[in-house]
Amino acid sequence: MITGTIVAAPGFLLLSIAQGPMLYFLAWVILGIAGSASLSPAAYIALNEIVARNAEHAIGWLMVVTGLSSSVFWPITSLLTTAAGWRTACLVYAG
């Protein structure tokens, strides 16, 4: 998940400055790769390997946090894009 976040930053930066279809497409390819790297099943496996007996508890908390993240970030993204535009929102998320 950390790798996905690191890969997403240049994708958002590129998306924010894209003026033509080629850069726009490239930005979405990078964001697609980042999205795949950010999926939580890999984190579930890592937690199972690291904490073994307590994996159920840790995975439960991870599911709560990842499940609630969209409830927090969708309204923030909506407010940000309304106030400053989608390019600025991409720059904020790149940071």
Side-chain angles (χ1 to χ4, degrees), residues 22-40:
M22 292 304 289
L23 282 180
Y24 188 78
F25 179 75
L26 180 60
W28 277 109
V29 167
I30 293 169
L31 289 171
I33 293 168
S36 295
S38 299
L39 294 174
S40 51

Side-chain angles (χ1 to χ4, degrees), residues 3-52:
T3 303
T5 303
I6 293 168
V7 172
F12 278 119
L13 180 63
L14 190 59
L15 187 60
S16 73
I17 62 170
Q19 296 296 322
M22 292 304 289
L23 282 180
Y24 188 78
F25 179 75
L26 180 60
W28 277 109
V29 167
I30 293 169
L31 289 171
I33 293 168
S36 295
S38 299
L39 294 174
S40 51
Y44 301 150
I45 294 168
L47 283 172
N48 190 42
E49 292 295 322
I50 294 168
V51 294

Side-chain angles (χ1 to χ4, degrees), residues 39-75:
L39 294 174
S40 51
Y44 301 150
I45 294 168
L47 283 172
N48 190 42
E49 292 295 322
I50 294 168
V51 294
R53 290 185 181 162
N54 295 326
E56 294 171 355
H57 187 261
I59 289 171
W61 276 108
L62 181 61
M63 291 177 80
V64 168
V65 170
T66 57
L68 291 175
S69 65
S70 62
S71 299
V72 172
F73 278 97
W74 280 357

